[in-house]
Amino acid sequence: MTSPETASPSLFGRLAGRSRPVRTSHDVVVLHDVTKRYPNGRMALRDVDLVVPEGDFVFLVGPSGAGKSTLMRLLIRDELATQGHVVVDGDDLARLRRRAVPRVRRKIGVVFQDFKLLPRKTVWENVAFALEVTGTPRAKIRPAVDRVIALVGLTAQAAQIPTQLSGGEQQRTAIARALVHDPRIIIADEPTGNLDPVISWEIIQLLLRINELGVTILMATHDAEVVTALRKRVVALEEGRVIRDELGAAYHRED
Amino acid sequence: MVAFVLFSIRRAWQGFWRNALMSLAATLTMVLMLTLLAGFFVLQNVLLASLTFVEQKVEVVAYVQNTATQDQVNALVAKVQAMPEVASVQFVSRDQALANFRQTLAAQGRPDLTTSLDQNPLYASVNVKLRDPSQLSAVVSAIGDQPIVRSVINIQALVDRVLTFTSVVRSAGIAILGIVGVIVLFIIVNTIRLAVVARAEEIEIMRLVGASDAFIRWPFVFEGALVGLLGAMITLGLLLLASQPLSQAMVSFFNVLPIELGSVGRDTTALVLGTGVGLGVLGAWVSVRTYLIR
C-alpha cells in the first residue's frame, strides 16, 4: 500500500507535525483522527486523517458506504465528528458556535449528483437565491450572479427554468450557485453521477477551470475513467478508513 | 433589520402563492377548525347565559298574613332588603296577585273563574330575588321566622337540582371547549407542518448555501401568520354572515330567551384571530425547527 508519506513529501511534513496546532492558514481542510459513529452504532469513519492544501484538486473514491458522503457531511457540519478534529479554513467545527455555522458554510460550495435546484426558479434566480437567503444587499447580488453564470457558460440560458435545461446545464447552474459566495472550497458529491460521459467531461473541465482560479476542489466520484485520466490526488476510502492517499494516481491502485 | 423583516415578509408572500394549493389547504383547514372552535365557544356562552337566566328565576315567595298592616309589610320588606344574600324584593299585594293570576289565565286561554268568587282568595306576597341561588335555605328560614309571614314556598329540592345540573353543564362545557381547543391545536399545527415539509428541499438548499437560522425561520413564521390571519378573517366573515339568521332562529326556537350576549361577539373575534395567528406562528416555528442547525 502506498502511504501518504511517500506519495507527497509536503503532506508528509504536515502529518509529521501533528503536535503543532491544527489551525494552518493554507490548509483548507484538515481532518485529524476523525471517527464518526452514527447513533445506530454504525462506524462510518475510523481514524481518518486528511489534509487538503489550498488550491488542491482531490478525488475521493471508494465503494458505496465507504464513508465518502459522511466525510462531506462532516465538512459542511451537517454532522459532528464523534472523535477527532474537523477544521475548515481555520475553523474547528466542533468548537464552532451554532451562530457561526452559516458563515463557515458560505466558504464551502456544495454540488450534488441530483443538482438540488429549485424547480420554479430560473437559472438566474436559483443562483441569486443563495445570496438572497444570506442577506446580501440587492445591489451586490446582480453583478455577482451575472459573473458566475458567465463563468459556467449559462448566460444564454439564465432566464430558463431547470426543467428546460439538459442535465449538464442543470449541474452548471448548481456549480454557479456553489461559486456565488466566492467559496474557498467546492465539495462535489458525485457531480457527474447522473450525466452521460461527454457531458461528464464538460463538468469536469469546468471544475478544473474553477480549480485553476484558486478554488480547492474535493470531488467524490465513481468515475474511474475520469480519475485515472486526470492523474490528480486520489484519496481512497474503504469501510471508513483512508486506505490510499496518492498524488497523480489512478482510480484503482496500481502497485 | 428592516431589510430583514421586508425580506421575510416578501419571501412569506412568495412562499404562500408559489405553493398555492398547499397554502389553500392549510387556510381551509384553519377556517374549518376556527369555525369549530368559535362554534363551541358561542354555544358555551349561550349555554352559560341561559343557565344564569334560569338561576335568576329562583325566587323566594313568602305569603303574608291578611292581618298584616302596611307598616308591618314595609318593615318586612326593608328587613329582607337589608340581607346581604338578597338582590331585590318586590311586594305583591292581594289585588295585584289576583290581577296577575287573571292575566295568566287569559294568556293561557282558560276561562276566568275568579269572577264567580265573592272575595279575593289570594294572599299578598313578598317576592325575593337572590344574588346566589345557593343561599336559598338561609333566606327561606330567615323570612319564615317573621311573625307576619304565613308561609314560604320551599323549592329547596328543585333549586338543588337546578344548581347541580347547571354546574355539571358548566364544567362539561369548559371540558368540551378545552378538548376541542386541543384538537384544533394539533390539526392546525400539523397542517402547517405539512406545508413546511413540502418545502423541505428549499430549506435544505438554504442551509447548504449558508443561510442563518433566522433567514430560514422567519419567512415560514410570517407565512404561518399569514395563513392564520387569512383563515381567521374568512372564519369571522362566515360567522358574521351566519350570526343574524342563527340568532333569529335561536330566538324563535327558545321563544324569546332574553340572553345578554353583548361581549360574545368581541370575545369570539379575539379568540378566532388570536388562535388563528397564534397557531399559524406556533406551527411554523416548531415545524421549521426540525430543519435548523443541530
Side-chain angles (χ1 to χ4, degrees), chain A:
Chain A
M1 177 180 149
T2 313
S3 67
E5 284 80 359
T6 53
S8 158
S10 64
L11 196 61
F12 169 71
R14 280 188 206 95
L15 289 176
R18 268 179 199 170
S19 55
R20 72 193 162 109
V22 276
R23 280 171 172 268
T24 40
S25 58
H26 27 278
D27 291 332
V28 181
V29 168
V30 177
L31 273 77
H32 184 61
D33 279 342
V34 170
T35 294
K36 176 62 187 177
R37 186 191 297 111
Y38 281 108
N40 64 13
R42 196 170 69 83
M43 293 286 283
L45 291 176
R46 301 164 198 257
D47 306 325
V48 170
D49 281 300
L50 179 68
V51 176
V52 181
E54 184 155 27
D56 242 15
F57 194 116
V58 181
F59 284 118
L60 197 58
V61 303
S64 299
K68 302 191 295 290
S69 295
T70 298
L71 198 153
M72 298 194 152
R73 294 181 70 187
L74 288 181
L75 289 178
I76 59 174
R77 204 198 169 281
D78 211 16
E79 297 279 352
L80 281 171
T82 314
Q83 276 167 37
H85 295 284
V86 179
V87 181
V88 173
D89 199 30
D91 283 305
D92 186 340
L93 297 191
R95 292 198 201 140
L96 206 60
R97 283 172 300 116
R98 275 189 55 190
R99 295 172 56 98
V101 171
R103 180 177 54 76
V104 172
R105 286 197 181 141
R106 285 170 217 169
K107 294 198 274 189
I108 307 171
V110 269
V111 177
F112 293 95
Q113 180 172 1
D114 58 355
F115 318 133
K116 293 199 195 293
L117 299 175
L118 291 171
R120 298 200 209 176
K121 287 184 184 285
T122 66
V123 168
W124 202 93
E125 288 165 345
N126 262 286
V127 176
F129 183 70
L131 293 176
E132 281 168 10
V133 299
T134 49
T136 311
R138 282 187 150 187
K140 287 187 181 171
I141 292 179
R142 180 168 296 280
V145 174
D146 286 342
R147 187 177 67 85
V148 290
I149 284 183
L151 183 66
V152 301
L154 281 182
T155 306
Q157 290 88 348
Q160 292 181 341
I161 59 170
T163 47
Q164 298 170 318
L165 301 174
S166 70
E169 287 166 336
Q170 290 186 50
Q171 193 59 295
R172 283 168 187 274
T173 308
I175 291 172
R177 185 182 60 197
L179 278 174
V180 78
H181 274 299
D182 230 340
R184 304 296 304 277
I185 182 167
I186 291 220
I187 297 178
D189 194 357
E190 308 257 2
T192 59
N194 277 347
L195 306 175
D196 64 52
V198 177
I199 304 296
S200 290
W201 271 110
E202 284 179 22
I203 294 298
I204 299 291
Q205 296 296 333
L206 177 60
L207 289 175
L208 284 170
R209 194 142 51 87
I210 291 164
N211 182 233
E212 278 165 18
L213 295 174
V215 181
T216 311
I217 309 257
L218 180 62
M219 171 173 163
T221 185
H222 281 128
D223 196 332
E225 195 190 327
V226 166
V227 174
T228 304
L230 288 178
R231 295 284 159 183
K232 293 283 185 184
R233 180 175 168 197
V234 175
V235 174
L237 283 175
E238 203 174 291
E239 290 179 355
R241 294 181 197 280
V242 175
I243 56 161
R244 189 160 63 99
D245 187 346
E246 294 180 285
L247 285 178
Y251 185 83
H252 298 286
R253 211 189 307 162
E254 291 177 308
D255 50 16

Side-chain angles (χ1 to χ4, degrees), chain B residues 6-249:
Chain B
L6 285 178
F7 164 85
S8 298
I9 291 173
R10 200 174 59 237
R11 289 264 308 144
W13 185 253
Q14 282 174 0
F16 186 88
W17 291 110
R18 287 218 169 148
N19 302 271
L21 203 67
M22 207 68 196
S23 310
L24 198 70
T27 307
L28 287 182
T29 310
M30 185 75 91
V31 169
L32 207 64
M33 290 297 113
L34 290 179
T35 308
L36 183 74
L37 191 68
F40 270 94
F41 181 73
V42 170
L43 209 63
Q44 161 95 347
N45 272 284
V46 169
L47 200 65
L48 286 181
S50 9
L51 291 180
T52 310
F53 177 70
V54 167
E55 285 176 356
Q56 278 169 356
K57 282 290 212 189
V58 172
E59 248 185 0
V60 175
V61 178
Y63 291 107
V64 178
Q65 301 280 16
N66 287 345
T67 55
T69 65
Q70 190 59 42
D71 284 348
Q72 282 175 314
V73 167
N74 287 347
L76 176 65
V77 167
K79 193 166 186 177
V80 173
Q81 187 85 70
M83 293 172 74
E85 299 91 344
V86 170
S88 68
V89 184
Q90 192 200 0
F91 176 72
V92 179
S93 69
R94 299 181 66 197
D95 294 342
Q96 232 175 318
L98 186 63
N100 288 350
F101 182 57
R102 284 180 172 153
Q103 230 172 38
T104 311
L105 287 179
Q108 290 174 343
R110 294 190 349 212
D112 186 356
L113 300 175
T114 56
T115 45
S116 57
L117 296 169
D118 51 355
Q119 64 164 34
N120 185 351
L122 301 175
Y123 291 100
S125 65
V126 174
N127 298 359
V128 183
K129 281 204 160 89
L130 303 180
R131 289 190 198 284
D132 179 355
S134 64
Q135 301 292 326
L136 181 77
S137 62
V139 175
V140 166
S141 63
I143 297 176
D145 288 347
Q146 299 298 317
I148 62 157
V149 170
R150 189 176 174 275
S151 67
V152 179
I153 299 179
N154 197 343
I155 50 166
Q156 185 65 46
L158 177 67
V159 168
D160 283 350
R161 250 176 287 161
V162 166
L163 286 182
T164 313
F165 176 73
T166 55
S167 80
V168 165
V169 169
R170 277 201 177 101
S171 324
I174 290 168
I176 289 174
L177 197 65
I179 292 169
V180 170
V182 170
I183 292 172
V184 166
L185 175 102
F186 276 107
I187 292 183
I188 290 181
V189 167
N190 206 46
T191 309
I192 300 279
R193 174 178 287 268
L194 284 181
V196 171
V197 168
R199 286 156 65 194
E201 199 184 16
E202 191 178 324
I203 299 175
E204 194 197 346
I205 293 169
M206 292 177 84
R207 291 180 56 213
L208 287 174
V209 300
S212 61
D213 285 358
F215 269 83
I216 298 175
R217 172 181 276 148
W218 283 100
F220 282 102
V221 171
F222 278 115
E223 201 178 320
L226 182 65
V227 168
L229 193 67
L230 205 64
M233 307 253 260
I234 295 174
T235 306
L236 288 175
L238 290 177
L239 288 178
L240 203 65
L241 284 179
S243 67
Q244 197 56 27
L246 262 185
S247 67
Q248 245 158 31

